[in-house]
Amino acid sequence: DVLIVVLYRFGHFMDDRGDFKPIKVKRQVACPTDLNLDNRQYSLYGVVSHIGSSLSSGHYVSAVKSTRDGNWYECNDEYVRPLQAEALYNGGSVTSVTAGA
């Protein structure tokens, strides 16, 4: 089974003129690397992060766990490199795998 969880990280606020403006929610959310839900075990295999300050600008990067070697990798437009975030390997909760996300 596959469980996909999406956290929409943008909201809206009303400015002084009464217009709604999009804002990025910057509060960190702890995501467990292993989750037990309704007697089923789920393991984290990927995280997509937005780097940037607004809905209209920024860049998306991902962290993925290889099924071949069990290691985590950061995937960007120009490179794929190993991630050394300890929480990804010790079963802890992950709040961010990419600086600025």
Side-chain angles (χ1 to χ4, degrees):
D1 292 344
V2 175
L3 174 67
I4 298 173
V5 178
V6 178
L7 301 176
Y8 190 67
R9 304 284 294 177
F10 294 94
H12 291 87
F13 77 98
M14 189 177 300
D15 66 13
D16 295 337
R17 296 182 304 164
D19 296 325
F20 283 102
K21 301 290 182 185
I23 60 168
K24 183 174 181 178
V25 177
K26 296 181 180 181
R27 181 180 353 156
Q28 290 189 335
V29 176
C31 179
T33 53
D34 291 301
L35 177 66
N36 293 308
L37 186 63
D38 292 334
N39 295 320
R40 293 191 176 167
Q41 173 91 19
Y42 297 95
S43 296
L44 185 66
Y45 276 87
V47 176
V48 177
S49 300
H50 178 266
I51 299 172
S53 60
S54 73
L55 183 60
S56 60
S57 68
H59 181 65
Y60 286 94
V61 296
S62 63
V64 295
K65 183 177 181 181
S66 169
T67 57
R68 184 174 34 147
D69 64 14
N71 291 323
W72 282 85
Y73 295 90
E74 178 183 3
C75 302
N76 204 329
D77 288 345
E78 297 180 5
Y79 60 82
V80 174
R81 65 178 173 204
L83 278 171
Q84 302 301 322
E86 188 175 326
L88 292 171
Y89 296 98
N90 68 10
S93 292
V94 178
T95 56
S96 178
V97 293
T98 304

